[in-house]
Amino acid sequence: MFTDEALDSVSVRSLWRKSQQSEQESRDCQTRAVHSAEAGIQTVFTTLSCTQTEPQDQATEQLLQQNHNEPEPLGLKDFLQRVEEAVIRELVRNARSHAFDGFQVNWGDRSQLVSCLHCLQHPITQERGLHVTSVSWSCTGSVIACAYGRIDDGNWSTERSYVCMWNLDRRGLSPSQADLVIDVPTAVTALCYHPSQPALIAGGLYSGEVVVWDTSRTQDPVLALTGMSADSHREPVYQVAWVPLQKKGEFGVLSASSGGRVLVWTVDSDQGRFILNAAYALVQQQVSHSSSVSFKARGSSTVGVTSLALSPWDSDTFLVGSEGGLLLRCSFSSKVPAATPSDGQSVTLRAPAVFSFRPHSGPIHSIHCSPFHRNLFVSAGTDGLAHLHSLLQANPLLSLRVSDSYVFQVQWSPTRPLVFAAATGQGEVQIFDLGHRSLRPAATIEQRGAGQAASCLSFNCQNPHLLAVGNTDGTVGVWQLSADLTEQSPRESSQLEQIANQVAE
């Protein structure tokens, strides 16, 4: 039996345990209150459209009804039936005709064929009265390089000269101030940008030296110089060009001089020098003449080279023009020793001429191979004519009168197979289109200076709408050509093929 005190004690302990369990359960199961909310949205989109036409004019309705009810003119049906066969026959004949093939209708006003964008000039060259002797575009098409010297008689050998460059894409271009000027100790006679490296320029000098400038070198831009040695030229260098070497991606420099030598150099940029890779000598006695060509050697046996062109189709072929008017096809792979005494060259001189074309009546200033046909090229010189030749025939296919004076340079368009331009001693640039029936120039660029010659020119291959023209007053005009002179027509390539297949008279 429990006493009342014992029961009270048990009751207290029981209540205390229950309260502890309740508190523990409350702590274990309690969560924060969950809040909820309701929201709604509603949009209304309406659209209204209608059309309306004007009621037809009552007078018009009456006229149409009247014409519909009128009988057709007498004899109309008989006439149509009578001429139907003849009309259909003429329509079929017109559909088969090629008279208007390639004709493109120009519904707009005819644009101006040429317009001058820039007239570039440098104060130092202007003050000294230097002539522009050569121009060349960089491989990006943005920079134009201009060489200065003299093309008239005089003592060039001791006269300093310059190579000036303008970046036409540069903001704030100053036509009267070159972006970069390179001082040269003697006149620069030839210039050529590297085909893939826009900072490299090859140059030929009146002293016979060949140089490569690197415009990224601000302190001393001369990357390599031939100097005066047994391997170098001893006469003015009239042509320089970059030629691919055996190792893929590498280029050497080809140079040609009035001393009759054509040399191929490898550039050693680490040592700052040229290494002679191959040498060719042109000698009168080793020039092969075709049966239709008669040429009598006069004076020296050396063939003085005044112009040279590389074939874009055959890496083994190059063309040479001479002071005496000889026009030769040559081969880099020739193994025939040149019939000339050795002057101590490090390589054997070879005779490259394999074929002779009909000679000009005077010095040949320029040759250029067609970029659209492997056998066609154009040549020009002091006779004032542009001669269109095939590599397969001795006589020219066509001779065009360009000027009553000299023609200093001729060049094919990079985009129009039938178009070429010629710079003349009368200061004009004549642009010919062989697709025209008339042999007159399709366009003429007239220089502003009276009595000044257009000494050189160059199409921009990256931007074919631009043509640079160098003048003897020291200025370089950058001309913009219209679409008529730059856009190829549908049948132009086939027309060029027809010209190439002609038999020369």
Side-chain angles (χ1 to χ4, degrees):
M1 296 290 294
F2 293 98
T3 62
D4 293 338
E5 295 178 20
L7 289 172
D8 291 340
S9 177
V10 171
S11 300
V12 170
R13 284 197 298 271
S14 177
L15 289 173
W16 180 81
R17 290 192 187 96
K18 289 181 179 181
S19 66
Q20 290 294 320
Q21 292 176 357
S22 176
E23 184 178 350
Q24 182 68 32
E25 290 174 0
S26 177
R27 283 200 303 267
D28 293 343
C29 299
Q30 187 176 2
T31 61
R32 294 181 180 180
V34 178
H35 299 281
S36 62
E38 294 183 4
I41 185 170
Q42 183 177 3
T43 60
V44 178
F45 177 79
T46 60
T47 182
L48 178 64
S49 63
C50 60
T51 61
Q52 183 177 358
T53 58
E54 295 292 336
Q56 193 171 30
D57 184 54
Q58 187 175 2
T60 304
E61 288 183 351
Q62 292 177 355
L63 181 61
L64 292 174
Q65 185 66 28
Q66 181 180 355
N67 292 337
H68 180 71
N69 295 332
E70 285 184 0
E72 63 183 32
L74 294 175
L76 176 61
K77 182 177 181 180
D78 294 339
F79 170 75
L80 294 176
Q81 290 176 343
R82 188 168 61 253
V83 301
E84 177 184 8
E85 184 177 351
V87 170
I88 292 177
R89 185 169 59 252
E90 291 301 320
L91 290 174
V92 171
R93 180 182 299 176
N94 290 341
R96 294 174 179 174
S97 173
H98 297 284
F100 295 97
D101 286 359
F103 177 75
Q104 296 179 345
V105 179
N106 183 7
W107 300 110
D109 295 334
R110 184 176 178 85
S111 61
Q112 187 177 0
L113 291 177
V114 292
S115 58
C116 187
L117 288 181
H118 306 287
C119 182
L120 309 176
Q121 51 191 341
H122 193 65
I124 300 176
T125 60
Q126 292 276 294
E127 293 169 4
R128 298 184 52 191
L130 296 177
H131 305 159
V132 181
T133 56
S134 183
V135 291
S136 180
W137 292 97
S138 68
C139 60
T140 62
S142 300
V143 181
I144 178 75
C146 311
Y148 292 86
R150 294 192 186 278
I151 63 171
D152 54 5
D153 295 331
N155 183 17
W156 297 6
S157 59
T158 59
E159 187 169 16
R160 295 186 61 82
S161 186
Y162 308 91
V163 174
C164 297
M165 280 146 278
W166 282 267
N167 186 340
L168 301 187
D169 291 341
R170 178 175 173 265
R171 181 179 296 179
L173 170 69
S174 175
S176 59
Q177 186 69 42
D179 296 326
L180 180 62
V181 179
I182 300 176
D183 290 339
V184 187
T186 186
V188 183
T189 49
L191 205 64
C192 185
Y193 258 110
H194 193 281
S196 61
Q197 299 185 42
L200 298 185
I201 312 174
L205 308 183
Y206 180 81
S207 61
E209 294 175 287
V210 179
V211 61
V212 170
W213 294 288
D214 184 350
T215 58
S216 65
R217 296 165 47 148
T218 56
Q219 296 298 325
D220 181 14
V222 177
L223 179 67
L225 182 69
T226 57
M228 302 304 294
S229 67
D231 285 338
S232 60
H233 298 285
R234 293 171 177 77
E235 301 290 339
V237 177
Y238 285 115
Q239 194 83 38
V240 291
W242 295 90
V243 292
L245 300 177
Q246 291 183 349
K247 188 175 181 181
K248 188 176 180 180
E250 289 190 357
F251 287 85
V253 176
L254 179 145
S255 60
S257 78
S258 57
R261 300 285 194 271
V262 176
L263 308 178
V264 180
W265 307 88
T266 301
V267 181
D268 185 351
S269 56
D270 295 332
Q271 299 293 327
R273 63 191 181 99
F274 284 92
I275 301 173
L276 188 60
N277 194 324
Y280 305 89
L282 292 157
V283 184
Q284 294 278 13
Q285 292 79 2
Q286 291 182 296
V287 172
S288 59
H289 300 291
S290 66
S291 58
S292 61
V293 173
S294 61
F295 184 82
K296 186 177 293 184
R298 300 185 297 271
S300 172
S301 63
T302 300
V303 178
V305 179
T306 52
S307 56
L308 184 145
L310 299 172
S311 170
W313 304 90
D314 181 4
S315 59
D316 184 57
T317 298
F318 66 99
L319 303 172
V320 165
S322 76
E323 291 176 337
L326 276 176
L327 184 58
L328 308 172
R329 178 161 62 90
C330 302
S331 171
F332 284 117
S333 61
S334 172
K335 302 298 182 183
V336 179
T340 182
S342 175
D343 294 330
Q345 291 91 352
S346 59
V347 299
T348 303
L349 288 171
R350 290 177 283 171
V354 295
F355 187 79
S356 179
F357 303 93
R358 192 176 77 185
H360 289 216
S361 59
I364 300 174
H365 287 151
S366 181
I367 310 171
H368 194 230
C369 295
S370 169
F372 292 94
H373 198 287
R374 65 179 300 111
N375 291 330
L376 291 181
F377 69 95
V378 63
S379 63
T382 57
D383 58 5
L385 298 172
H387 302 278
L388 181 63
H389 284 269
S390 168
L391 289 174
L392 308 179
Q393 302 183 52
N395 293 327
L397 302 174
L398 185 67
S399 295
L400 303 176
R401 169 59 62 182
V402 178
S403 172
D404 294 331
S405 180
Y406 296 168
V407 178
F408 286 107
Q409 189 164 3
V410 64
Q411 192 175 100
W412 290 97
S413 164
T415 57
R416 287 283 313 276
L418 295 174
V419 170
F420 66 88
T424 72
Q426 293 177 313
E428 298 175 336
V429 174
Q430 307 286 12
I431 302 177
F432 289 88
D433 188 343
L434 300 178
H436 290 183
R437 293 183 179 180
S438 171
L439 297 181
R440 295 179 179 179
T444 299
I445 297 176
E446 297 181 353
Q447 307 297 320
R448 62 180 185 177
Q452 300 295 333
S455 53
C456 53
L457 60 81
S458 179
F459 283 98
N460 188 329
C461 294
Q462 298 301 318
N463 187 353
H465 290 278
L466 298 183
L467 173 67
V469 180
N471 307 300
T472 53
D473 63 358
T475 63
V476 176
V478 178
W479 296 82
Q480 182 167 1
L481 309 179
S482 70
D484 293 335
L485 297 175
T486 57
E487 294 182 2
Q488 185 178 156
S489 59
R491 297 185 63 247
E492 196 161 347
S493 295
S494 61
Q495 287 179 280
L496 189 70
E497 184 69 31
Q498 291 175 3
I499 294 174
N501 293 334
Q502 293 177 4
V503 178
E505 296 179 358

